[in-house]
Amino acid sequence: MDLAIIYELRANDVKEEDIELIMSRVKNRLSEENIDKELVKLGYPKIFTVDYSEYDNYDYSDSYSQQNRGNFNDLD
């Protein structure tokens, strides 16, 4: 078993019996994506991967950041 993965699961409060179940399910196809799929099936949030499509809903505009950027003189 990969101790770093187990450490991360424990650090994120995954129950020991769930860790054993997850590791047994992914033993032949060990990857971050597969571990996260198993976590989600058991009701845990993803730990190892990020779904960047969730961030597409935010509208970051350069004009907004230019207008609201602070000035060195503002610190006085």
Side-chain angles (χ1 to χ4, degrees):
M1 285 195 206
D2 192 338
L3 294 178
I5 291 172
I6 293 172
Y7 175 80
E8 247 347 277
L9 292 169
R10 287 179 179 156
N12 284 279
D13 297 323
V14 177
K15 296 178 185 175
E16 286 297 321
E17 57 268 17
D18 290 338
I19 293 173
E20 291 176 19
L21 179 62
I22 290 168
M23 296 308 286
S24 69
R25 287 182 178 174
V26 299
K27 65 182 174 187
N28 294 329
R29 51 187 181 87
L30 186 63
S31 72
E32 294 172 341
E33 293 84 11
N34 288 336
I35 293 171
D36 275 348
K37 286 178 186 176
E38 295 300 327
L39 283 167
V40 170
K41 287 179 187 177
L42 294 173
Y44 294 99
K46 292 181 180 181
I47 296 173
F48 299 101
T49 60
V50 176
D51 187 7
Y52 290 105
S53 64
E54 294 176 4
Y55 295 105
D56 289 343
N57 296 332
Y58 298 106
D59 184 24
Y60 296 108
S61 118
D62 287 337
S63 62
Y64 176 80
S65 62
Q66 292 292 333
Q67 292 170 353
N68 295 316
R69 184 176 299 161
N71 185 322
F72 181 74
N73 294 329
D74 291 343
L75 297 175
D76 294 333

